[in-house]
Every structure is written in structure tokens, then in C-alpha cells.
Amino acid sequence: MTARAADRARYDRATAHLDAPVAIVDLEAFDANADDLLRRAGGKPVRVASKSVRCRALLERVLAREGFAGVMAFTLAESLWLARSGFDDVLLAYPSADRAGFAELVADPKLAAAVTVMVDDPAQLDLIDAARAGGREVVRVCLELDTSLKLLGGRVRVGARRSPLHSPAQVAEAARTVARRPGFRLVGIMAYEGHIAGVGDAVAGRPVRSRAIRLMQAAARRELAERRAAVVRAVRAVAPELEFVNGGGTGSVQHTAAEDAVTEIAAGSGLYVPRLFDNYTSFRGRPAALFALPVVRRPGVGVVTVLGGGYPASGPAGRDRLPVQYLPEGLRYDPQEGPGEVQTPLLGSPADDLLIGDKVWFRHAKAGELCERFDTLHLVEGDRVTGSVPTYRGEGRTFL
């Protein structure tokens, strides 16, 4: 029996009493992945990206481990909810236009002390001030640095379109703007290098593309390390009591941690290890989050149909954004249908061994987005479910 076949047998035994669709987290794999993130971080604290977890119980589990510190949230409403729930260090990773949320933030000393907001434009400070409605708490501010690699005088850009702050001079001027503004305190810098941390460099069947990605990422790491260090020096000249410099992501942990200018690493997907993280040379994680769909039809030889399955991940449309059929091994999508909203035909010889009611296990393409489809994660240890915890959705929280 292969290791994957043994996992399938374990998961089937553990969830025999549960009807599919069902989602699980293998706690042994989850904890092993957490250990790997800490090892690669080399002693620097890891801030957990809640977008990639979307489950309070599992955020609490990983933050209870030495070496993990703080949450990186994705909306202001989520940040405030987490702070009210006892998370005392929440960095909002994206600028917000949530006026009601800002009014709550500036009116509550506990929230204002726990939540740091993201800024890359003075207009965002104007919006916060306009939302104060009498609240006088000082707002903790983090500036985001654009990490994209610009070539040929800026005519070629590699990286996500995020912050407009690219040069040390631009970030330093933004720091001065915050420092001069009553009601705000600059406490951090964030620089997420998604073109390094979120792009696999060993694409199956694409050796030339993989080589090109590795060359691009090596050049981008060198350029960013030099520019990030210069940015930090420039900002510290304005705000010498800067508390943190955040960088990285699951795919770049060890590279980002090696930079002296960086004080903490952000990571989250590496806890679940979705399919998009199969194509990396820098690390190998263990799939920890899976979902199962039930076989409901057997249309013919070598074909079964499961209920549901149309769970594409965000990003540019493509096959790599689809869930992958994981257990049993050897199944594939029908190219004429693919994964569907209400049913998904699966082809391959393993289909002939599946009965009505059997489970087929899948891995989502991206980490936390799985939790937008399920309200409960069943926690598996060995061949038993030892607990069941709500996702954000299960707690009635759908932030985006």
C-alpha cells in the first residue's frame, strides 16, 4: 500500500460516520507543516496569514506554538472581530474603506492597541479621520512597500499591483506624512513578494518555464533585498521606534528570513499546503486540508460522478486554479465538463472500484478559500476524528 493509499484508508475510517461533502484537517500534517515553517524562518517570528486559515480554532492552535506571533488579517471587519476574540496583535494586510469599522477602531482603546492598519496613500488617512465620529484613539499604521521587479526602465513589471510606494524616497515621504499627522503612529513596514513566495518554480512538465521562473525569482530576491534594506534605513530615520518589518510568504520563508532588515515572516498557506504549493523546489509540505465528495452516480465503465466540486480558486483562470483529485489516485476530470457546480464526473480505472456513497478526496488549489465552502473542519488524528471546529463561514463570518 502506498503512503497515499494508507492516508485514504485512514481518512475513510475517520469519517465513516460523516456524510460527504466533508472537509478535514490532518492535525499531524498541520503540526509538521508548522514545524517546517519555523525551521525555515530561522528563529524569526512567523505571523500567521488568516486568509489562508479562516478558522479561529486553528489560528489559536498554531499561535500557541513558540515561534508564531501575531495574525495578518485580510479585512478590517475581520481584524476587529479577531481583536475582540482575544487576538492581541492583528496586522491588516490591505487598505480598507470600511468607515464604520474605522469608527469602531478609534473609539475603543483595546481595538486600537491590537489592530494595525495598512496605508500606502495619504487619502487613506483622510478616510480614517473622516470616520472618527468623535473617537480619539491613536491608529497604529503600517506602510506597504511595492515589491515588484521593474525592468527596462519600468516598462516591464513582475509582481502584483499593490502599493504605489516603490522607492526608499517614496516610502520615507509616506513615513513623514504619518509622523506629522495627529492621531496616527507608524509602527511597521510590510513587503509581500508574491512573485517569489506565491509562484512555484518547478512546474510539472514545463522545464523551460520552471527555469525561467527560477532565474526571475533569483534576480527579484537580490533586487528586493537591497531595496528593502534601503527602505528600512530611510524609514527608521523618520520613525526610529519602528516595531516590525514584515516580509515573505510560504514559498519564500527562508530567503526572506535571511535578510537582516526583516524582523518577522508572514505565512499561512504552508499550514494546509494546497495544490498550488506542490511546485516548489525550496520546500516540501504535507497536504493537511482536504475535502471529500460522495459518489452519487456510476454512468458507465471507468466513470463515477460525485456531488458538487466546482470550487475554483481566485486568480487568473486556468487548470491550476481547480481542485485536484487526490484519493484514490488515478482519477481525472472529464475534459468536456470539468468540476461542476452540482456534479463532477471523474474518469479512470479507479472509478470501477468506487461504490455509491464512497468518498473521493480532493485538495483545493488555494488554502483558506476551502473554508468558504464548508462551515466545519473535522480534525483527524490517526484514523479518528478527535474534534470538529467551525470555519469563519461556520461562525457566520463571510468577510469577502
Side-chain angles (χ1 to χ4, degrees), residues 213-233:
I213 290 172
R214 288 194 289 274
L215 290 172
M216 176 276 292
Q217 289 179 339
R221 282 197 299 268
R222 290 192 297 269
E223 186 276 337
L224 179 58
E226 180 178 338
R227 180 159 53 91
R228 181 154 42 196
V231 165
V232 173
R233 287 194 298 270

Side-chain angles (χ1 to χ4, degrees), residues 109-158:
K110 177 183 175 182
L111 296 180
V115 175
T116 302
V117 305
M118 192 63 60
V119 169
D120 58 33
D121 189 307
Q124 294 152 356
L125 302 178
D126 294 340
L127 188 147
I128 296 171
D129 272 339
R132 283 185 180 271
R136 297 182 179 277
E137 296 300 323
V138 173
V139 175
R140 293 168 53 85
V141 170
C142 178
L143 297 176
E144 181 171 3
L145 167 67
D146 169 36
T147 65
S148 63
L149 176 64
K150 295 185 177 182
L151 305 171
L152 301 178
R155 293 190 296 276
V156 175
R157 175 194 182 99
V158 180

Side-chain angles (χ1 to χ4, degrees), residues 11 17 64 69 75 116 142 148 176 217 223 236-237 251 335 337-338 349 370 381 387 389:
Y11 299 149
H17 63 296
T75 72
T116 302
C142 178
S148 63
R176 284 189 286 271
Q217 289 179 339
E223 186 276 337
R236 286 196 184 279
E337 295 193 43
S349 58
L370 168 67
E381 296 183 75
V389 295

